[in-house]
Amino acid sequence: MAPLLSSDRRLNRGYVIAAVDRVPLRQKIGYGLGTFIDMWGHWLYANIAFQVFGLFLGVAPALIGVAVILNRVFDAVSDPVFGWLSDNARTRIGRRRPFMFVGAVLSGLGLPFLVAVTAGWGSSTVFGCEVSHYFWFMIVSSALYLPVVSCFNMPYQSLGNELTPDYHERTSVFSYKNTVQKIPEAGLFLAGLFFTREVWVGATPDNALERLKLLFTTGGAWADAPDGAQPNMLLGAQVYLVICGAIIIVAGLLCASLVRERYYEKLVAANKQKAGIKETLVQAFHCRPFRIQVAMQLAYNLGLSMVNALGFAVTAYYVCGGNLSEANKYNFAMGFAYMVIGFFGIPVFAAVSRRLGKRQSLVCVYAFAIMVFVATWWLYTPHVKWLQILASGLISFCSAGFWTLSASIGADVIDYDELQSGRRREGAFAACGSWVNKLGMALGAGVSFFILGWVGFDRGLGGAQAGHTIFMIRFLLAAIPIAGLVAGIMALVRFPLTQHKMMEVRAQLEARRGKV
C-alpha cells in the first residue's frame, strides 16, 4: 500500500496523452448527455416526493422514507440483470448501445407515470395502522419504472469505463460528463419552484394546458403563490415530469448515437464465453480495490443523502420561517449555484489530479468538504438568507470533484481486474457499484425522513417548529456528512491503485493482449 500523501508529481512532468488515447470532444459531450436519464430517472422522484406526496397529499414522512428505500430493492434486481446482459450481449452495433436506445425511450415515456395519481385517495388498515393508498402507488410505480432506467443506465455506466485506456484521459472523460450533468442537476432544484408558482393556484387537469401556456407567456405566472393559497403541486409535478420525460428521450438517443464502444471489436466481440450472473457479481466483489472504492462511495453517499430532507427543512422552516414558496425560490437559486459553482469544481480537481494523482486529489476533496459542512452552521441563517445559496454551491464544488475522480478510479479498477481475471466485466462492476451507491443514497434519503420525525418535526406547525427541533436539524445537517467524510478518508487510506501502479498494469495488459 502506497503512502496516502505520496505524490505522483514527477510522473506527470512532461506527461502527454497519446493522440490514439484521446476521446473526441463529440463523444465526451455525447456521453455526458446520458446523465439526464441517471439524474431524472433515479433522483427527480426522490427529490419531489416529500413535497408532492408529503406536504400536498398528506402521506406521513416515515412512509415516504420507506418508499424511497424500497426503490433500491428493485434496483437490487434490475441493475445486476442489465449489467450482466450488456456484458454478454453481442450485436452489430455493440453490447451497450442497443440497451441504451431502448432504455432511453422507455425511461422518458415512463417518468410521468410516477405521479399519475389524483387527489382524495383514501387509506387502508394494515396491522392496525392506517396506510395511505398513495404509499402503495409509490411502491408499485417504482417497481415498474426503475428496471426501465436500469436498461439504459447500466450499459451507459459500463461504457464510460471503456472509452479510453489512458489514466488522465479517463479523468477528462468524466469531467465532461459531470459538466453536462450540472444541467439535469439544476432541474432537480427547479422542480419545487415550478410547481409552487401562483399559476398552479386553482389549477385543475381541465385547465392544465392553459396554465402551462401562461408560464411561457406571462411573467406573473411565475410569482410566488399568495400567502394562505395552496398551489396544486400534484398537477404542477405531473406537467413537469412530462416535460422532463421528453427531454430524457432526446438526450438518451443522442448519447447512444454519439458514443462508440472502443473495447468491443478488439477484446469482446470474438469472445463468445458467457458467465452466470451470480458468478459474475460475486467475482466483482472479490476485487479488493473495488471493495475499497465502493466503501468510499457508500460513506460519501450515506453522509450527504441522509441530510436531503434536513436541508430543505432548514431552508423552509428555519431560514424562510415556513414560507414554502419563498423556500422553493431559494431552493432553485441553490440549484443554480449547485450547477455553476459545481461546474468550477470539475476543472479544479481535474487539474489537481493531473498534478498530484487521483488519490491525493481525493484527499483535497474530503478536506475541503469537511470545512464546508462545518460552515453550514453559519451559512444557513434567516439573518442573511442568501448565504445558503453559497453553501449549496460549495457542497457541489466538492461533490463534482469527488464523483469525477471516483468514476475515473473505477475505470482503473476494471483494468486491474482484467489483469487478474483476463476478462472485461464493466457491466458487473457498474451494476455492483451503482446498486451499492444507490442503496446508500436511498437509505440516507429514507432515513432523513425518519430523522425529521425523531427530532419532532410537525408539518402542521409550519414555521413555528419547536426550538429543539430546529437546533437538531441544523446540527445534524453538518454532523452527519462530516461523519461520512471521515469514514471515506479511512477507506481511501487503503486504496492501492496509484498512478505508478496503473502504468504498470497497462503495460502488462498491452503486452498480453495488445493495445486498444
Side-chain angles (χ1 to χ4, degrees):
M1 179 176 65
L4 181 63
L5 296 177
S6 68
S7 175
D8 287 316
R9 208 176 290 181
R10 60 184 177 276
L11 292 175
N12 295 318
R13 292 173 184 165
Y15 187 98
V16 177
I17 299 172
V20 70
D21 291 338
R22 292 189 179 275
V23 178
L25 179 61
R26 182 180 68 172
Q27 287 192 42
K28 290 179 179 178
I29 295 175
Y31 184 67
L33 291 173
T35 61
F36 279 83
I37 297 180
D38 186 20
M39 286 289 101
W40 290 351
H42 285 122
W43 309 117
L44 180 57
Y45 178 64
N47 223 49
I48 67 174
F50 178 56
Q51 295 194 65
V52 174
F53 288 97
L55 299 181
F56 185 74
L57 295 175
V59 179
L63 290 179
I64 298 174
V66 171
V68 170
I69 291 173
L70 286 178
N71 281 179
R72 302 289 76 85
V73 174
F74 310 134
D75 273 344
V77 176
S78 60
D79 276 1
V81 167
F82 283 102
W84 173 75
L85 286 173
S86 71
D87 269 354
N88 289 284
R90 305 290 186 270
T91 76
R92 182 174 57 84
I93 60 172
R95 55 176 178 165
R96 314 293 184 194
R97 296 167 68 218
F99 292 96
M100 292 168 63
F101 279 116
V102 173
V105 174
L106 295 180
S107 295
L109 293 176
L111 185 64
F113 289 97
L114 293 174
V115 289
V117 299
T118 57
W121 287 14
S123 60
S124 56
T125 303
V126 179
F127 299 117
C129 300
E130 288 292 317
V131 179
S132 171
H133 290 161
Y134 295 120
F135 169 75
W136 300 118
F137 176 85
M138 294 173 76
I139 300 299
V140 174
S141 61
S142 292
L144 296 175
Y145 181 68
L146 287 173
V148 170
V149 179
S150 294
C151 179
F152 177 91
N153 198 49
M154 284 302 94
Y156 169 71
Q157 298 291 351
S158 304
L159 184 56
N161 295 315
E162 49 186 314
L163 291 178
T164 176
D166 186 84
Y167 181 84
H168 286 298
E169 182 67 356
R170 285 170 171 169
T171 302
S172 176
V173 167
F174 290 106
S175 295
Y176 276 89
K177 174 197 171 188
N178 287 338
T179 297
V180 177
Q181 183 175 301
K182 294 303 166 188
I183 301 173
E185 281 180 1
L188 300 180
F189 290 88
L190 177 61
L193 178 74
F194 183 88
F195 54 65
T196 55
R197 296 304 87 201
E198 182 179 6
V199 71
W200 301 116
V201 177
T204 66
D206 294 332
N207 61 21
L209 290 178
E210 176 189 339
R211 297 301 177 98
L212 180 61
K213 182 180 178 181
L214 289 175
L215 281 171
F216 292 99
T217 58
T218 308
W222 287 91
D224 293 347
D227 289 341
Q230 174 66 67
N232 189 338
M233 291 196 288
L234 172 61
L235 180 59
Q238 291 169 339
V239 172
Y240 191 75
L241 263 62
V242 169
I243 296 172
C244 291
I247 295 173
I248 274 179
I249 293 175
V250 174
L253 291 178
L254 282 173
C255 174
S257 300
L258 291 172
V259 295
R260 292 293 178 266
E261 299 188 29
R262 182 186 189 115
Y263 283 61
Y264 181 69
E265 290 187 7
K266 180 75 174 181
L267 300 180
V268 178
N271 184 0
K272 305 299 183 181
Q273 180 182 2
K274 297 184 180 181
I277 184 171
K278 181 179 179 181
E279 173 193 357
T280 301
L281 298 177
V282 169
Q283 287 177 354
F285 277 109
H286 282 168
C287 178
R288 179 173 174 270
F290 178 66
R291 294 198 304 270
I292 296 173
Q293 180 200 11
V294 166
M296 289 163 49
Q297 293 178 343
L298 182 60
Y300 192 91
N301 279 335
L302 273 173
L304 270 66
S305 62
M306 283 178 69
V307 298
N308 279 351
L310 301 184
F312 182 78
V314 169
T315 294
Y317 298 103
Y318 175 62
V319 178
C320 297
N323 187 327
L324 290 182
S325 291
E326 182 185 24
N328 273 303
K329 200 158 60 171
Y330 272 105
N331 208 38
F332 173 68
M334 292 162 73
F336 187 76
Y338 198 90
M339 177 180 68
V340 173
I341 300 178
F343 167 81
F344 288 105
I346 297 169
V348 167
F349 287 112
V352 173
S353 175
R354 181 66 183 265
R355 187 173 181 82
L356 302 180
K358 299 172 190 178
R359 291 203 324 160
Q360 290 75 20
S361 300
L362 277 172
V363 174
C364 299
V365 170
Y366 281 120
F368 190 77
I370 289 173
M371 290 189 290
V372 170
F373 278 102
V374 169
T376 57
W377 181 263
W378 295 277
L379 294 175
Y380 283 84
T381 171
H383 305 297
V384 189
K385 295 180 180 181
W386 64 265
L387 285 177
Q388 62 187 333
I389 300 175
L390 177 61
S392 177
L394 292 175
I395 292 170
S396 176
F397 184 85
C398 301
S399 291
F402 178 83
W403 289 114
T404 298
L405 296 170
S406 182
S408 184
I409 280 174
D412 297 337
V413 168
I414 292 170
D415 276 2
Y416 174 86
D417 176 72
E418 183 191 353
L419 184 63
Q420 303 299 314
S421 67
R423 300 174 58 193
R424 297 292 302 185
R425 301 184 296 182
E426 291 92 347
F429 283 94
C432 295
S434 177
W435 182 76
V436 172
N437 285 334
K438 287 184 285 189
L439 176 64
M441 290 182 181
L443 284 174
V447 168
S448 68
F449 293 109
F450 289 99
I451 292 174
L452 284 176
W454 175 63
V455 300
F457 173 78
D458 184 347
R459 72 185 183 94
L461 295 177
Q465 303 292 325
H468 171 74
T469 298
I470 294 296
F471 172 84
M472 288 301 297
I473 291 175
R474 294 178 63 206
F475 172 75
L476 294 174
L477 179 64
I480 292 175
I482 290 173
L485 292 166
V486 170
I489 292 175
M490 294 173 64
L492 178 60
V493 169
R494 304 177 61 82
F495 191 73
L497 301 185
T498 63
Q499 181 175 347
H500 185 271
K501 175 65 175 178
M502 290 313 303
M503 291 176 68
E504 292 179 350
V505 167
R506 180 177 181 180
Q508 293 177 58
L509 284 174
E510 291 180 348
R512 185 168 70 188
R513 43 79 162 157
K515 296 183 178 182
V516 291

